[in-house]
C-alpha cells in the first residue's frame, strides 16, 4: 500500500474529472485543410447542442468561427456523412448545412448563399466528397425520393448556383472518392452496389467525360478498392486489399499495369464509413504522405519510385485517416496515449510539427490518467484478439489490500470499426474512480487485415460475444480484475454485442447499451439505405429461425444481470424501438433494467447536457453493480 494513497473501495475514489469535463472535451476535431500557413477544420460543439462549425486559422495565427449559430456544417450522406466542406481559394468555403442538407457558398464577411436547389423532401438532396476544379464543384449527390428509394450520382455544378447540378455518373448504388485527372479529361471514382459494403467489395472506375464512356480499372466482389488519386494523366494511385491488407498500388488508367508501392502486412487505410477523408496525399516532390500500421496508424513518407517508407518523427503515436496537403504542408488529426486528439500542421520539408487545436483543454494531473497497454488474448478456439487495457489510476486513492478492481469491457460500434490507443477522457473518468477498462478489437474489427475483419461474416452475435467474453475471462485469469465485478458496455453494434453477451453468458455483472440493435428484421426494415443490407453479411439472408438464434430480443430470457439502456429518440440508424423492445422484454421477466431516452439526439450523442446525463447514469449503474 502506498503511503501517499488512501485505501478506498473501488468505484468510490474521488476524482477531479467530472462528467462535464468529459462532455466539454468532445469537440470531435475533423476534416483539416491546409493551404500555406492557413488552416481550416471542423469542430463539434457539445455546449452548442452538438452544432458543427468550421474554424479558420489565418496566416497570422488568428482563429475565427466561419459559421455562427444556427448554421452547422454536417453532411448526412450515408447518415454518417464525412468531410462537410471544401475550401475555394480566394473565394471562401462551400459547406453542407445540417438542417436542410443544401450546399452553401460562404464568402468572408457575407451570409451563406445556397447554391443547390430546394429538395422536394426536407433534406432530400444531400452532398458529400466536395471537390472544386476550374470553377465547378464536383460531388456525390444522394437523393431521397418520395417513394422511399435512395439513389446517388456524381454531379457537377457552378459555384454561383445559377444552374442545376449536372449528373456525370449514375447507375451504381453508391459512389465515393471522385477525382479528376490533371488534364480534366477523365473522372476516377469508387462505386459499389447492394448487398456489398465498401469494405467487402468495390470497383474503381474511370469515365471519359467527353463521351461518358466508362470502364472498370480494378476491384470486384471480394476486393475493396479505396481512395483513388491521379499520379499523372495515365496512372492512378489507389488502396486495395487484394493481398489481404489495404496496401497502396499504382495502376495504369486501363488496368493493364499494376504494381504495389510498399507490400506489407499493414493497413494503409480504414473502412469507408465516412466520405472525403483521405488516408494518403501526394506531395509536390512526388512522395506520398501515408498512414500505415496495425491498429494505430503511423505517419510516413513513401517514395513511390524506390519503395522506401520513412516514418515521420512526431510527438504523436497515431493519426486519424483524413490528411490534407497543399503539396508541402500537411494537416491531420493526431493523438497519443497522453496527448488528446489535435489538429496538427507538419512542414514536410523541415519536419516542423505544430499543434493548432487540441480536443481537450487543461489536462488533469497525469496521476489520474491511465496508460493503455496493448495485449493479445487467445480465445478458446485458438484465435487471437487485440485489446487495450486501462488500469485504474488515481493520485490519492488505491483499492483495499489484496483485492482486484472491477472492470468494464468496451465493445466498439460498427462493427466494422476499431478502437485506438488515443487519449480518452471518458475512460479516465472511470479509471480515476477505480474502474478499469479493457477496450476490445473483437473479430470483425478493421486495422488487422481482411482475414481478421472477415471473422465476423455470418457470425455476428457469436464471434464478437466470444471475444468480449474471452477478454473478461482473461482479466480474471491474469488477476487484473475481480471476476464477479466485470461489466460490459457498447454503442450501436457494440450495444448489440453487449445485449447478446448478457443473453448468453454469466461473465458480466451488468451491461450498458447505447442505442444498440436488439432485433434484426425491424433493423433491416427501418435503418437507412447504406446499412440496409449489412445484416445479410453479418448474419445471413432474412430467416426468422436464424434471426431468433442470434438477436437479443429473442433471447432476453437468458439475461440475469442488471442493464442500462440509453437511446436518442431521433435516431435514423437504430430506431428507439430497438432499445425500448429489449427493455420491455427484460421488464416482463423482472430483470432490473433502466431505460433512458433523450429528445433531439440521433445516432451518437452530441449535446453536452445529454452526454453529462448519460455518463452520470452510467457511473451510478457501475457503482451499484460493481461495488464491494
Amino acid at each position: 500500500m502506498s503511503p501517499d494513497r488512501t485505501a478506498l473501495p473501488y468505484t468510490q475514489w474521488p476524482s477531479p474529472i467530472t462528467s462535464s469535463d468529459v462532455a466539454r472535451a468532445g469537440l470531435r476535431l475533423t476534416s483539416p485543410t491546409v493551404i500555406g500557413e492557413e488552416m481550416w477544420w471542423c469542430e463539434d460543439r457539445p455546449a452548442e447542442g452538438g452544432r458543427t462549425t468550421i474554424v479558420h486559422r489565418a496566416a497570422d495565427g488568428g482563429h475565427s468561427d466561419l459559421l455562427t449559430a444556427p448554421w452547422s456544417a454536417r453532411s448526412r450522406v450515408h447518415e454518417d456523412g464525412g468531410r462537410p466542406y471544401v475550401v475555394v481559394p480566394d473565394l471562401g468555403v462551400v459547406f453542407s448545412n445540417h438542417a436542410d442538407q443544401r450546399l452553401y457558398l460562404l464568402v468572408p464577411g457575407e451570409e451563406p448563399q445556397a447554391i443547390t436547389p430546394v429538395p422536394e423532401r426536407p433534406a432530400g438532396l444531400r452532398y458529400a466528397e466536395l471537390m472544386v476544379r476550374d470553377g465547378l464543384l464536383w460531388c456525390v449527390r444522394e437523393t431521397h425520393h418520395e417513394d422511399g428509394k435512395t439513389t446517388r450520382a456524381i454531379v457537377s455544378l457552378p459555384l454561383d448556383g445559377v444552374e442545376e447540378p449536372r449528373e456525370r455518373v449514375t447507375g451504381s448504388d453508391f459512389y465515393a472518392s471522385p477525382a479528376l485527372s490533371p488534364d480534366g479529361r477523365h473522372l476516377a471514382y469508387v462505386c459499389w452496389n447492394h448487398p456489398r459494403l465498401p469494405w467487402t467489395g468495390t470497383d474503381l472506375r474511370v469515365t471519359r467525360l467527353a463521351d461518358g464512356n466508362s470502364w472498370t480499372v480494378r476491384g470486384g466482389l471480394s476486393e475493396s478498392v479505396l481512395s483513388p488519386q491521379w499520379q499523372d494523366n495515365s496512372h492512378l494511385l489507389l488502396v486495395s486489399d487484394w493481398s489481404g491488407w489495404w496496401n497502396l498500388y499504382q495502376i495504369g488508367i486501363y488496368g493493364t499495369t499494376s504494381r504495389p508501392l510498399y507490400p506489407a502486412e499493414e493497413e494503409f487505410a480504414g473502412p469507408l464509413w465516412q466520405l472525403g477523408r483521405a488516408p494518403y496525399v501526394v506531395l509536390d516532390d512526388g512522395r506520398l504522405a501515408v498512414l500505415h500500421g496495425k491498429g494505430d496508424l503511423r505517419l510516413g513518407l513513401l517514395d513511390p519510385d524506390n519503395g522506401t517508407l520513412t516514418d515521420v518523427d512526431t510527438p504523436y503515436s497515431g493519426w486519424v485517416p483524413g490528411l490534407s496537403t497543399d503539396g508541402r504542408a500537411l494537416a491531420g488529426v493526431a493523438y497519443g496515449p497522453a496527448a488528446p486528439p489535435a489538429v496538427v500542421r507538419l512542414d514536410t520539408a523541415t519536419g516542423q510539427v505544430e499543434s493548432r487545436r487540441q480536443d481537450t483543454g487543461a489536462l488533469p494531473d497525469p496521476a489520474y490518467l491511465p496508460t493503455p497497454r496493448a495485449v493479445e488474448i487467445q480465445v478458446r478456439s485458438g484465435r487471437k484478439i487485440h485489446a487495450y487495457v486501462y488500469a485504474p489510476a488515481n493520485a490519492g486513492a488505491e483499492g483495499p489490500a489484496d483485492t482486484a478492481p472491477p472492470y468494464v469491457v468496451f465493445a466498439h460500434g460498427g462493427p466494422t470499426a476499431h478502437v485506438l490507443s488515443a487519449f480518452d477522457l471518458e475512460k479516465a473518468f472511470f479509471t480515476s474512480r477505480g474502474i478499469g477498462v479493457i477496450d476490445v478489437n473483437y473479430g470483425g474489427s478493421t486495422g488487422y487485415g481482411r482475414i481478421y475483419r472477415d471473422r465476423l461474416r455470418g457470425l455476428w452475435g457469436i464471434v464478437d460475444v466470444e471475444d468480449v467474453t474471452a477478454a473478461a475471462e482473461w482479466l480474471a485469469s491474469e488477476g487484473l480484475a475481480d471476476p464477479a465485478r466485470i461489466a460490459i458496455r457498447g454503442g450501436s453494434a457494440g450495444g448489440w454485442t453487449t445485449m447478446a453477451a448478457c443473453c448468453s453468458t454469466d461473465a458480466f455483472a451488468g451491461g450498458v447499451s447505447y442505442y444498440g440493435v436488439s432485433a434484426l428484421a425491424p433493423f433491416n426494415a427501418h435503418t437507412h439505405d447504406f446499412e440496409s443490407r449489412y445484416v445479410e453479411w453479418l448474419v445471413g439472408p432474412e430467416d426468422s429461425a436464424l434471426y431468433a438464434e442470434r438477436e437479443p430480443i429473442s433471447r432476453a430470457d437468458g439475461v440475469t444481470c442488471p442493464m442500462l439502456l440509453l437511446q436518442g429518440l431521433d435516431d435514423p440508424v437504430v430506431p428507439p424501438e430497438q432499445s425500448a423492445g429489449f427493455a420491455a422484454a427484460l421488464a416482463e421477466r423482472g430483470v432490473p433494467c433502466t431505460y433512458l431516452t433523450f429528445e433531439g439526439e440521433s445516432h451518437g450523442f452530441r449535446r453536452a447536457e445529454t452526454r453529462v446525463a448519460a455518463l452520470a447514469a452510467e457511473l451510478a449503474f457501475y457503482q451499484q453493480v460493481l461495488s464491494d
Side-chain angles (χ1 to χ4, degrees):
M1 183 176 294
S2 170
D4 299 325
R5 293 181 172 87
T6 302
L8 292 172
Y10 295 111
T11 77
Q12 302 298 325
W13 295 358
S15 171
I17 304 170
T18 68
S19 56
S20 295
D21 293 332
V22 178
R24 286 196 300 268
L27 292 177
R28 301 183 186 180
L29 304 170
T30 62
S31 308
T33 299
V34 62
I35 302 177
E37 293 295 329
E38 289 188 272
M39 288 187 68
W40 296 257
W41 62 85
C42 288
E43 288 185 13
D44 280 10
R45 299 283 176 81
E48 299 180 30
R51 188 179 75 87
T52 301
T53 189
I54 302 170
V55 178
H56 175 227
R57 185 186 190 277
D60 62 7
H63 288 68
S64 61
D65 289 357
L66 297 187
L67 300 178
T68 58
W71 297 101
S72 181
R74 185 178 164 198
S75 170
R76 288 183 57 193
V77 171
H78 302 172
E79 291 300 344
D80 284 297
R83 178 183 287 266
Y85 77 97
V86 64
V87 175
V88 186
D90 301 321
L91 183 59
V93 299
V94 173
F95 70 96
S96 169
N97 183 46
H98 180 232
D100 59 10
Q101 289 297 290
R102 297 176 71 188
L103 293 179
Y104 289 79
L105 173 63
L106 175 62
V107 176
E110 300 181 10
E111 280 294 302
Q113 299 297 316
I115 61 172
T116 54
V118 177
E120 294 182 5
R121 296 182 59 187
L125 293 173
R126 305 175 184 181
Y127 306 87
E129 295 273 22
L130 310 181
M131 170 185 64
V132 174
R133 276 282 297 272
D134 301 325
L136 286 180
L137 176 71
W138 297 72
C139 58
V140 174
R141 183 184 66 192
E142 182 178 89
T143 304
H144 293 251
H145 301 277
E146 293 292 342
D147 61 3
K149 293 182 179 179
T150 306
T151 60
R152 296 167 188 85
I154 297 177
V155 302
S156 65
L157 62 148
L159 290 171
D160 56 17
V162 298
E163 297 178 15
E164 291 277 323
R166 176 184 174 187
E167 291 188 348
R168 299 292 190 141
V169 179
T170 62
S172 293
D173 291 335
F174 299 95
Y175 293 97
S177 308
L180 279 170
S181 60
D183 60 12
R185 296 175 58 195
H186 295 93
L187 178 71
Y189 52 92
V190 169
C191 60
W192 66 98
N193 293 315
H194 282 308
R196 285 188 287 171
L197 293 145
W199 44 86
T200 63
T202 61
D203 296 312
L204 167 58
R205 291 179 63 81
V206 169
T207 293
R208 187 164 52 233
L209 294 173
D211 57 14
N213 237 0
S214 299
W215 60 90
T216 298
V217 177
R218 180 127 194 189
L221 294 176
S222 57
E223 180 182 4
S224 172
V225 181
L226 305 172
S227 303
Q229 294 194 42
W230 291 89
Q231 191 172 35
D232 53 45
N233 288 320
S234 302
H235 296 88
L236 285 158
L237 303 171
L238 60 95
V239 175
S240 168
D241 69 351
W242 175 82
S243 68
W245 297 82
W246 272 316
N247 278 192
L248 279 159
Y249 295 82
Q250 179 202 66
I251 194 167
I253 189 173
Y254 297 105
T256 53
T257 58
S258 173
R259 69 180 180 94
L261 299 184
Y262 191 83
E265 291 188 350
E266 294 185 340
E267 303 282 47
F268 284 74
L272 192 64
W273 277 105
Q274 296 178 315
L275 301 179
R277 297 188 174 176
Y280 70 95
V281 290
V282 183
L283 304 177
D284 283 346
D285 61 10
R287 292 180 300 167
L288 311 182
V290 303
L291 301 179
H292 69 106
K294 295 180 180 178
D296 294 314
L297 299 180
R298 306 183 304 278
L299 175 66
L301 296 177
L302 172 62
D303 188 327
D305 293 328
N306 58 30
T308 58
L309 175 59
T310 305
D311 284 344
V312 180
D313 184 18
T314 74
Y316 305 99
S317 60
W319 293 69
V320 178
L323 298 176
S324 168
T325 188
D326 63 357
R328 170 170 166 156
L330 183 74
V333 175
Y335 61 84
V343 174
V344 174
R345 182 186 185 276
L346 168 72
D347 189 314
T348 59
T350 66
Q352 183 180 7
V353 180
E354 298 174 286
S355 173
R356 299 302 200 196
R357 175 67 157 156
Q358 186 172 280
D359 187 313
T360 306
L363 297 180
D365 182 334
Y368 290 96
L369 302 178
T371 300
R373 178 166 67 96
V375 299
E376 285 189 354
I377 300 169
Q378 186 165 312
V379 301
R380 293 175 183 174
S381 65
R383 293 182 291 106
K384 288 186 178 180
I385 58 171
H386 302 273
Y388 295 102
V389 176
Y390 298 80
N394 189 291
E398 61 185 1
D402 301 321
T403 62
Y407 260 77
V408 180
V409 177
F410 278 33
H412 65 71
T416 311
H418 68 276
V419 294
L420 308 170
S421 66
F423 171 89
D424 185 348
L425 198 61
E426 183 177 70
K427 291 188 178 74
F429 176 82
F430 294 118
T431 58
S432 64
R433 287 169 169 80
I435 304 170
V437 169
I438 182 168
D439 213 354
V440 184
N441 276 316
Y442 50 81
S445 302
T446 45
Y448 302 96
R450 176 138 193 165
I451 292 175
Y452 197 87
R453 70 178 187 267
D454 276 354
R455 287 179 182 178
L456 207 58
R457 184 173 187 174
L459 296 173
W460 195 34
I462 296 177
V463 164
D464 50 325
V465 170
E466 288 179 352
D467 291 356
V468 295
T469 303
E473 293 171 344
W474 178 85
L475 287 170
S477 68
E478 293 290 311
L480 299 176
D482 181 342
R485 294 190 293 159
I486 300 176
I488 182 171
R489 67 99 83 155
S492 190
W496 155 281
T497 301
T498 294
M499 290 184 280
C502 291
C503 288
S504 58
T505 176
D506 59 2
F508 300 105
V512 178
S513 169
Y514 283 78
Y515 32 85
V517 178
S518 70
L520 295 175
F523 177 79
N524 286 341
H526 296 294
T527 195
H528 60 110
D529 186 53
F530 179 71
E531 295 190 54
S532 62
R533 305 287 294 277
Y534 198 5
V535 172
E536 289 185 30
W537 189 89
L538 290 168
V539 179
E542 190 160 328
D543 177 276
S544 58
L546 173 63
Y547 282 13
E549 289 178 2
R550 298 288 182 84
E551 60 188 8
I553 194 71
S554 299
R555 300 187 294 126
D557 58 356
V559 179
T560 58
C561 64
M563 297 202 70
L564 170 64
L565 311 179
L566 305 103
Q567 178 70 49
L569 293 179
D570 293 341
D571 192 334
V573 179
V574 181
E577 292 77 15
Q578 294 277 333
S579 293
F582 194 69
L586 296 185
E588 185 177 337
R589 296 188 56 255
V591 177
C593 177
T594 301
Y595 175 45
L596 300 180
T597 61
F598 299 92
E599 292 278 359
E601 286 289 2
S602 183
H603 199 64
F605 298 159
R606 291 176 173 267
R607 298 176 178 177
E609 59 270 25
T610 302
R611 299 177 68 188
V612 167
L615 203 56
E618 188 174 357
L619 175 61
F621 178 80
Y622 295 146
Q623 289 173 332
Q624 180 180 9
V625 303
L626 301 180
S627 294
D628 294 336

